[in-house]
Structure formats: C-alpha cells, structure tokens
Amino acid sequence: MRYGMKVVGGPSSQELGRRVAEALGLPLMETSTKRFPDGEFYFRYLGGVSGEDLLIVQSLYPPQDEHLLELLAMIHAARDLAADSITLYIPYLAYSRQDERYLAGECVTSDLVRSLLEGVGADALYTVDIHSIGVLKRYRIPAYNLTAAGELARYFAEKGLRDPLILAPDDEEMALERVRHAAEVMDAEYDYFRKERDRHTGEIKTYAKELSVGGRDVVIIDDIISTGRTTANAARILKELGAARVYAGVTHLLLRGDALQLIEAAGVEEVVGTDSVPGGLSRVSVAPLIAEALNP
Ligand code: R5P
C-alpha cells in the first residue's frame, strides 16, 4: 500500500468508496458533484490533489455511459490538478463482454474503454471478475483482475448447506476459475454446464448433463446476471436433476428487466451479489479485495 494514498468515491460507488477507505485505513477525499439542468455532469475535488496518490472507486454498472463519463471527468481533473498517481478501482468494468469483433464491422467496445481510461491519464486499474481476461491484456498500464468468488463462497459457507456443489453455468475459462476458487473456500465439489449464445439473437442454450445433485444444495457462481437467462436455465436443469436448494452468488448483479422473477420462477432460493452494483441483494462487499491487493 502507498501510505499517502487518498480514496475518492465516485458518484456510482459512494458507499463502496467509504468501505474501501475504511478497509485500507486511508482518508476519503470529499468531492462535489451535480447534474446541470441539461443533464451535463459537474465534478469538483474539495481536497488538495496536487502531488497526491489517488485511488478512484467507480463501478460502471448501468447507466454505463453516464458512469464512464463521470469517471473520465474524475481522472481528467486529477491529472489536470497534478495528482502524482491515479489508480482506478472499477469493480464492474462495463463493455468487457464486447472483447472481440465477433461479427464483421463491430466496435470492440472494451478496447474503446481502455483507450479512454489510458488516454485521460489513469496509471493503474483494478477490476473484479472481468468477463474476459483478454480485455486486460490489451492495457498498457498495469491492469489486474480480482475475484469475489471467495467472498461469495464465504457468505454461502455460513448457511450450513447440504453437501453443496458449486456450479459454473458455462464452461468459459474465467467461470471455471471462479468455481474452483469458491469450491476450495467451501471445501466442496464443483462442476459446470455448457452454454451457447446466438450472436445475432442473444438467445442462450444451456446443455443438460448428468450430475449427482439429488438431494444436495447447489450454488451457482457467475460473474454477471443481466437478463437472468443463464442462471434460470442452469437452475431449471438442476431442479430437474433433483437438487434440493439452488442458490446464486454473482459478482455483478445487473438484473435487467424481469431477470429476478425469471430466476425465482426457475426455483432459485436466494440470489446474492456484491456492492460492485449496489442494491438490496448486494450482501457481499468487494472492498476487502482491493485492500488485500494493495496491502497484501
Ligand atoms: C456470460 O457468459 C457471463 O458469464 C454471464 O453468464 C452472462 O453474462 C449472464 O447474462 P444473462 O443474465 O443475460 O444470461
């Protein structure tokens, strides 16, 4: 940890900013923000910035574009006011799912975000459970991925689950890493389903397979719930296979539209997220992750 660091909580992550400052034992810098009548954003640091090492906390959950502009304003002002270094903690790094040009002519939006953050003057980036590690590999500044899988697992470990199985609802590399980690913390087994997404319609198909979950509790661990279809598909299959109770622990609970109803209708007992996306179900904090990363 850099002892002189000051934490700044951006508009999307005020509470998380406070938790990060507390976890690191660092001061929280006061700021002033507002929206002008036409919707434009205003930002001001109320403490001295010149020569300081800043840790800016701002998660980019919806509305992503507004939160991104707010973050860019904070970085720009810090650079302009001669901050010594600017470290970003962006638990939810929006646009990371558009990490390649899947269809001809597409914008690789994750790379646009990289170029904006670097261009405006960030020195280092920490994020949590990024969808694809390839996104961070393109960064020229140091860029690190942390995982909340262990924190989510600790939450479920308190529940006294019956012979739990930890499940990844797809077989992507990062998803498997997360369930391995969670299973280790819970001293449980893990497995995964295979899932395909139609690039044109967004339709998701999850493939059932034999799993010995009869009478057991299952915890689905994933990075994101957006439409809820990935979690709902997995839960439905698990219930058909005879799972007792199905839980979902997900880092970034975006929960768009009727996602929660869909998941509940599929038989999920409880959905738990982190304060990467603040909300009533965000019962786990990602503050300890950055504290551990900066102050190992
Ligand atoms: C993608 O593969 C991710 O790991 C998540 O499973 C996905 O983004 C969840 O999206 P949705 O809730 O819309 O199915």
Side-chain angles (χ1 to χ4, degrees):
M1 179 185 95
R2 304 184 62 162
Y3 286 100
M5 243 182 177
K6 286 184 176 164
V7 179
V8 191
S12 74
S13 300
Q14 287 280 291
E15 186 55 38
L16 176 59
R18 268 189 286 278
R19 288 179 185 148
V20 168
E22 199 181 293
L24 279 159
L26 292 172
L28 187 69
M29 169 125 37
E30 294 291 315
T31 62
S32 165
T33 62
K34 67 180 176 191
R35 289 270 165 194
F36 288 104
D38 61 359
E40 289 181 359
F41 179 61
Y42 168 93
F43 179 82
R44 180 183 172 202
Y45 287 104
L46 296 177
V49 169
S50 174
E52 300 289 352
D53 295 312
L54 299 187
L55 175 61
I56 296 179
V57 183
Q58 168 92 341
S59 201
L60 300 182
Y61 57 86
Q64 295 89 333
D65 302 354
E66 276 181 27
H67 290 150
L68 177 60
L69 192 284
E70 290 164 356
L71 175 60
L72 294 173
M74 295 172 79
I75 304 168
H76 186 269
R79 193 43 82 211
D80 213 21
L81 291 164
D84 206 34
S85 71
I86 303 167
T87 300
L88 307 179
Y89 188 33
I90 312 178
Y92 181 58
L93 187 57
Y95 291 110
S96 295
R97 285 182 289 179
Q98 185 71 49
D99 57 340
E100 281 179 37
R101 186 168 291 111
Y102 292 101
L103 301 176
E106 284 180 346
C107 173
V108 183
T109 328
S110 60
D111 206 40
L112 165 65
V113 172
R114 174 198 63 74
S115 143
L116 291 170
L117 297 177
E118 288 183 338
V120 77
D123 293 304
L125 161 71
Y126 291 83
T127 186
V128 180
D129 288 321
I130 192 157
H131 180 66
S132 152
I133 203 71
V135 169
L136 296 186
K137 288 191 177 148
R138 289 177 177 232
Y139 275 74
R140 294 184 195 109
I141 59 171
Y144 308 97
N145 182 54
L146 311 174
T147 182
E151 301 295 321
L152 290 166
R154 271 182 273 282
Y155 175 88
F156 287 109
E158 301 282 294
K159 288 194 167 283
L161 302 186
R162 208 177 312 154
D163 191 12
L165 176 83
I166 315 302
L167 186 104
D170 61 55
D171 61 353
E172 284 169 19
E173 191 190 331
M174 304 290 285
L176 296 178
E177 258 178 47
R178 277 190 295 272
V179 287
R180 256 184 237 120
H181 188 113
E184 206 177 296
V185 170
M186 290 181 74
D187 193 18
E189 290 179 339
Y190 69 88
D191 215 311
Y192 61 89
F193 284 148
R194 200 167 64 75
K195 178 185 96 175
E196 272 170 15
R197 186 189 292 269
D198 185 305
R199 289 278 162 209
H200 294 274
T201 62
E203 209 45 55
I204 289 167
K205 184 166 170 46
T206 305
Y207 294 89
K209 71 179 195 189
E210 276 309 311
L211 277 184
S212 62
V213 288
R216 296 171 72 182
D217 292 334
V218 182
V219 180
I220 299 170
I221 294 281
D222 206 1
D223 56 343
I224 300 172
I225 291 181
S226 178
T227 65
R229 285 179 293 176
T230 300
T231 305
N233 281 2
R236 229 175 282 116
I237 296 171
L238 289 165
K239 283 296 195 180
E240 279 164 19
L241 290 170
R245 293 174 298 182
V246 177
Y247 296 86
V250 174
T251 310
H252 313 292
L253 272 190
L254 305 180
L255 291 177
R256 309 317 286 166
D258 60 356
L260 197 55
Q261 291 90 306
L262 205 66
I263 291 167
E264 283 170 354
V268 174
E269 214 63 35
E270 183 185 356
V271 180
V272 171
T274 77
D275 51 4
S276 158
V277 184
L281 302 176
S282 309
R283 303 201 177 106
V284 170
S285 181
V286 294
L289 305 179
I290 186 74
E292 169 69 20
L294 293 179
N295 199 8

